[in-house]
Structure formats: C-alpha cells, structure tokens
Amino acid sequence: VKTIPSHFSPVHEATKMDFTTVFGSESDPNYHRFHIGQPLDMDIPVCLNLDRFVERSNAIFGKSGTGKSFLTRLALSGIIKQDVAVNLVFDMHNEYGWQALSENKGETVVKGLKQIFSHKVSVFTLDPKSSRKRGIVDACEIAIPYHQIDIDDLALIKHELNLSEASIESAMILEEALGKYWFSSFLNMGGEDIEEFVATGKGHAGALKALQRKLGRVTRLSYIKPDVSYDSINQIMRCIETEKHVILEFGGQNSLL
C-alpha cells in the first residue's frame, strides 16, 4: 500500500520514456532484456529482465484460453535467444517442441522451439510414434532400464501403484539382498523362489507377491525396458552440460504413472 499514490496526486499519461525507465530496453548493453509484449492500445515495448528472471522460480498463471502456453513459449524463446540459461522442459501436452495449435484467428499452428532454434534445442520423447507424427524426425527416444528404477522412484509413485509402506520396506529388503539388478531379479522370481527367499528370514511372502503384481504395471509402460544399449538420462545431462536446451515430450503418455 505504501507504493500507491495518495489522493489528489498529479497524474500523467505514461510515455515510451517512462516504460523504458521501468522495464528497460532490448538495446541496453548492460542487461539481457527481451521484448515480451506491449500494453493494450499502446505501441510501446515491455521488456523482461532475463538475468533477474532466471535467478528464481517463476510461474505463469491464468484461466483456460488466456495464452499461458503462448507466453511461456515466448519467455523460453527469450532465454534461448539471449543465452542466459539452459532449459529442461517437461512438455506434458506437446506444445513446445515442433509446433502447437495457434490461438490467433487465421492461424492454425505456431512454431515450436525446435523450429525456431534448431541447433540449440534437442527433443527427447517417451512416445516416438507421436513425435514423428507431429513432424519431429530426430527426436531421441527415452528408454529407462529396470536397473535405473530405485526405491525413491517407487516411493514417488506409491499412490499410483497403491503401494503401502510395507511394500516399500519389502522393496528395500530386496534391493539389499539382490543388489543393483534387484528389480529384474525380483520380477523373474516364481512363487517357489519367493518362498525360498522368505525362508532365509527376509520379508513376507504375501507382501512380496503383492509387490510383484503391482510392479507389473510399471513394466507395461512402453518406455520401461529390461535393458537398453544407451543411457537416455546421461544423454539429457550431456545436452544440458553443453548448453543445449532439452524438451521432453510425453506424447500419448498422459497418466500420472
């Protein structure tokens, strides 16, 4: 409230110089500023200070249809253009990679970040068929091998898999007893193998069999593989370390699991 002028304060119409004083200008050599739009009925650029913008967490809020995705794409474009940070985009609805539906009359699609900044952006996908269908021919397929799934991952999705605390504890026992490849070893266990495992004084047969059934849902996800010849996660990390922006498309994978 201290920033609101008092009653009967003199009022002046804002000029281009006033906007430049407050928001800066793209031509300012001391800061990375990006022209993100202009006020309604005014032909005056409003700039975003990208150096300050990438320092902290940010969010873009609004009702459906108000242009949140469009504004986000614009902000990401500024960051990429000015090289102030590297982006890792979790693209749940496939809006930022190659192209997206436009909200402007007369336009059907708008360009995505891969079209605009081709050599600066890599696209990874959980659904290669969907990505190819939408025009991204060089999207890298993500595949997660069984041995990369650890207890913390299961704890994160315990509600989706309906796992109890006892199930998580059973998984810990399995990892301790079977080592790095506990996941695949456990899935390959038959009923007799589980009984034999329990006989050594480890775990409870009923809990282990229930856990095995529930983990079967994870193995039915198309991007979860028994083993893979390449490491998708390391590929993503290498892109980020070499200042290449990454868009991770979910394709048709739209469930929380």
Side-chain angles (χ1 to χ4, degrees), residues 154-248:
L154 298 181
L156 283 172
I157 58 172
K158 67 179 183 180
H159 294 298
E160 284 68 50
L161 292 178
N162 195 26
L163 295 176
S164 63
E165 288 300 326
S167 297
I168 300 297
E169 289 173 11
S170 295
M172 290 178 178
I173 292 170
L174 288 163
E175 184 183 45
E176 186 178 338
L178 302 174
K180 178 181 178 181
Y181 294 93
W182 71 271
F183 193 94
S184 54
S185 299
F186 176 52
L187 289 179
N188 291 326
M189 278 186 180
E192 291 182 3
D193 297 322
I194 291 176
E195 295 289 348
E196 189 177 324
F197 182 79
V198 172
T200 63
K202 296 173 181 175
H204 181 273
L208 289 173
K209 288 175 182 177
L211 176 62
Q212 194 178 54
R213 285 195 304 273
K214 290 171 181 177
L215 292 182
R217 288 184 59 198
V218 174
T219 65
R220 288 193 287 274
L221 296 169
S222 61
Y223 52 89
I224 303 293
K225 313 279 188 183
D227 200 12
V228 293
S229 58
Y230 58 95
D231 192 326
S232 307
I233 309 304
N234 272 342
Q235 281 184 293
I236 290 174
M237 293 307 299
R238 278 199 296 272
C239 287
I240 293 171
E241 287 166 356
T242 56
E243 300 184 5
K244 200 164 188 178
H245 306 267
V246 173
I247 298 169
L248 172 52

Side-chain angles (χ1 to χ4, degrees), residues 28-174:
D28 188 340
N30 299 316
Y31 297 96
H32 292 102
R33 300 189 189 273
F34 181 67
H35 175 196
I36 201 161
Q38 56 196 43
L40 293 173
D41 304 321
M42 298 181 78
D43 189 20
I44 297 174
V46 173
C47 291
L48 185 65
N49 184 334
L50 293 173
D51 295 312
R52 297 296 300 274
F53 183 70
V54 300
E55 279 180 3
R56 300 187 177 213
S57 300
N58 294 281
I60 294 174
F61 296 99
K63 293 181 181 178
S64 295
T66 53
K68 296 186 297 297
S69 297
F70 190 89
L71 186 57
T72 301
R73 192 181 303 109
L74 202 57
L76 291 171
S77 295
I79 293 169
I80 296 172
K81 179 186 175 186
Q82 301 274 18
D83 290 322
V84 294
V86 182
N87 297 294
L88 170 58
V89 182
F90 292 93
D91 192 0
M92 293 290 295
H93 304 294
N94 315 308
E95 297 174 301
Y96 302 103
W98 187 250
Q99 63 185 24
L101 294 175
S102 174
E103 295 173 4
N104 297 331
K105 291 181 179 178
E107 293 181 18
T108 55
V109 294
V110 289
K111 289 182 179 180
L113 301 175
K114 180 66 175 174
Q115 278 197 65
I116 301 170
F117 305 100
S118 176
H119 67 287
K120 289 185 175 184
V121 175
S122 288
V123 177
F124 287 76
T125 180
L126 294 173
D127 188 349
K129 288 182 181 177
S130 172
S131 296
R132 284 195 294 270
K133 189 176 179 181
R134 283 178 284 102
I136 309 177
V137 294
D138 58 348
C140 303
E141 181 181 357
I142 286 200
I144 299 173
Y146 288 174
H147 70 263
Q148 281 190 344
I149 299 172
D150 57 31
I151 307 300
D152 289 338
D153 295 324
L154 298 181
L156 283 172
I157 58 172
K158 67 179 183 180
H159 294 298
E160 284 68 50
L161 292 178
N162 195 26
L163 295 176
S164 63
E165 288 300 326
S167 297
I168 300 297
E169 289 173 11
S170 295
M172 290 178 178
I173 292 170
L174 288 163

